[in-house]
Amino acid sequence: MKILVSNDDGYRAEGIRRLRAALATLADVTVVAPDRNKSGASNSLTLDVPLRVFEAEPGVYFVPGTPTDCVHLAISGLFDFEHDMVVSGVNDGPNLGDDVLYSGTVAAAIEGRFLGLPTLAISLCTTGTGGGHFETGAQVGRLLVAQLLQRPLEPSLILNVNVPNVPFAELRGFRASRLGYRHRSEPVMRAQDPRGRPVYWVGPAGPEQEAGPGTDFDTVARGYVSVTPLQVDLTRHAVLPALATWLDGMNA
Ligand code: MN
């Protein structure tokens, strides 16, 4: 059993170090992760410059690139063996609702979807004010991988896991959930560079808008580990028949 571990916070982040240690009790773990914080990188690939891989210590590699670069490299030729699954995290911050569109943590997991086992993206719901129970996230990852080995789920499934930022003993359990929605983001922040030119900072994500029962937001707020099954198919299937009719009007 070989597990590839990646993240978007960089290979030195506490979350990935604890995750690696926790999973090493179950499998052979290889880390391939960005050289620095690449949060918000989504599923981007670096195509304009070559990628270089550096070994920080045996079994830990870092890449000046995106999370998707890291996993793509790792499962497409960097090694002379195949991995069985990808586990991404433990991210410093939640990936709830619309966050999954921007998340490098989720992207790293998505990039591993063609391997034999479902992939996991694990995020700890820290608030940015310092202090994270990353060990809780790491143990949640270990328990989910152990459960997958005992009771396999379908391959190419992507599990988006959000963990309340509490000591492990205070978790109330595991719950399946759906993605909620956020309100529109806060406006960009305008500032000036030293030469008086305008610069802009992307503002924080918006507050939750749809966070009712069954959503990932609500599940975490009630103290449970939220596990959301994701798929890559973004097709809005319910609209297909109406769209076909609408397009027929253009064929007349
Ligand atoms: Mn991150």
Side-chain angles (χ1 to χ4, degrees), residues 7-10 37-40 90-93 95 103-105:
N7 75 350
D8 73 358
D9 293 339
N37 194 327
K38 298 295 283 184
S39 296
V90 173
N91 189 57
D92 185 358
N95 279 303
S103 170
T105 306

